[in-house]
Amino acid sequence: MTGIHKLEIIRDGLLSHPMYKEMNTPDRVRVLMKHHVFAVWDFMSLLKRLQQSVTSIEVPWLPYAIPSYTRFINEIVLAEESDEDGRGGYASHFQLYLEAMEESGADAAPINAFLNAIKNGVDYKKALEQDIIPSTVAKFVTFNLNLSLKGQVHEVASAFFYGREGLIPDMFKLLVDSLKKEGSSNERLNYYLRRHIELDEDKHGPLAEKLLSDLCGDDPKKKEEAIQIAQISLQMRKNLWDGVLMEIQEKGL
């Protein structure tokens, strides 16, 4: 089995994960949001690593060699950190998600505890050891932060495309359909999901794929490493969804 074939199998399995169909009550959606908010947050570390690698942010400033990469990443940063909030203002997508959690009454204590620890100088690995944070969440975030800090740029770009921008439109469509059918969504969550589908499907996804392809070039080793990271990224997302179902079952929701 080739690496690409295995990747497609993992991706198909993720998109048929039973979690989507289980989002049929507000209580279950609140559990999903409690876990998923960490993925919304750590997306920014992948993005910021790419911004460090393919744009010029040092002083004195020097132009990056390939302006198209710089344009693409800066466009995504603009949208992710200061997108239209649907109410005439601007907000990061993370802030939009926190607003959706507040609107639905989802438990934000785990993400707040983690961020407070980070703000106080606690190492992220230690911050993730808090009992309030689900183990599947801790493993998911650890993988993405390790990659953001230590991975090669083409590996980060692979996780960014396969695990995020190239996956999110299909994944979020499943959530939107399920939530609409069961009447379990809310205004801010629906806006967040639909905004991501719109941005990632029409522009960000194809550009992320182009960036990854260009960074790998004709180097077979880079291509292999990119596929390996992609497989792990999708598996980690599956594990995250497994954790959501596990909590729903444990609480009898």
Side-chain angles (χ1 to χ4, degrees):
M1 182 186 299
T2 66
I4 287 289
H5 186 207
K6 183 178 179 181
L7 178 62
E8 290 173 349
I9 291 174
I10 297 173
R11 190 181 191 278
D12 289 345
L14 178 57
L15 292 176
S16 61
H17 196 286
M19 187 278 297
Y20 304 107
K21 293 183 179 179
E22 293 299 318
M23 294 301 104
N24 51 17
T25 71
D27 283 342
R28 292 181 173 188
V29 174
R30 283 191 277 270
V31 173
L32 167 65
M33 298 181 79
K34 169 187 166 183
H35 290 241
H36 182 233
V37 67
F38 282 86
V40 178
W41 176 83
D42 76 4
F43 169 89
M44 289 303 301
S45 290
L46 294 169
L47 177 56
K48 286 298 181 179
R49 167 59 195 283
L50 289 175
Q51 189 178 33
Q52 289 175 351
S53 298
V54 302
T55 76
S56 298
I57 59 173
E58 301 296 329
V59 177
W61 177 83
L62 290 172
Y64 185 72
I66 307 175
S68 59
Y69 295 0
T70 300
R71 174 65 182 234
F72 162 56
I73 291 299
N74 283 339
E75 281 187 4
I76 293 189
V77 171
L78 177 66
E80 290 291 337
E81 283 194 309
S82 54
D83 196 13
E84 298 174 5
D85 67 356
R87 295 173 173 172
Y90 302 95
S92 70
H93 285 180
F94 178 66
Q95 182 59 41
L96 290 177
Y97 204 84
L98 290 179
E99 290 175 2
M101 292 183 72
E102 182 177 2
E103 184 177 23
S104 68
D107 184 7
I111 187 66
N112 288 334
F114 172 68
L115 293 182
N116 286 335
I118 296 294
K119 290 174 184 177
N120 289 324
V122 177
D123 179 79
Y124 72 88
K125 292 181 181 179
K126 188 70 176 177
L128 288 167
E129 292 177 358
Q130 299 177 80
D131 291 339
I132 197 173
I133 299 175
S135 61
T136 48
V137 165
K139 292 175 182 177
F140 181 89
V141 176
T142 296
F143 168 74
N144 286 297
L145 290 188
N146 282 346
L147 182 63
S148 299
L149 290 167
K150 301 176 183 178
Q152 301 177 81
V153 64
H154 62 280
E155 293 176 323
V156 179
S158 179
F160 191 73
F161 170 63
Y162 285 110
R164 306 292 174 127
E165 303 293 62
L167 173 70
I168 282 174
D170 289 339
M171 190 169 62
F172 280 8
K173 284 177 184 177
L174 291 170
L175 273 176
V176 167
D177 290 345
S178 179
L179 295 174
K180 182 179 179 180
K181 179 180 178 182
E182 302 298 340
S184 300
S185 189
N186 62 61
E187 184 268 330
R188 297 314 275 161
L189 178 58
N190 187 61
Y191 180 81
Y192 169 86
L193 294 172
R194 291 187 180 279
R195 186 64 175 153
H196 264 278
I197 292 169
E198 175 188 349
L199 289 172
D200 295 345
E201 186 172 50
D202 294 341
K203 192 168 186 180
H204 292 175
L207 287 174
E209 185 175 22
K210 177 68 163 56
L211 175 63
L212 172 60
S213 177
D214 286 0
L215 289 172
C216 290
D218 295 324
D219 189 328
K221 185 172 185 297
K222 287 184 178 180
K223 290 181 179 180
E224 181 181 353
E225 290 168 342
I227 292 300
Q228 290 175 348
I229 287 294
Q231 291 173 357
I232 298 172
S233 295
L234 295 182
Q235 185 62 50
M236 295 304 295
R237 175 74 70 163
K238 177 187 177 300
N239 294 346
L240 186 69
W241 288 168
D242 288 345
V244 173
L245 287 184
M246 190 182 307
E247 180 167 337
I248 288 172
Q249 293 167 358
E250 288 174 351
K251 291 184 175 180
L253 298 177

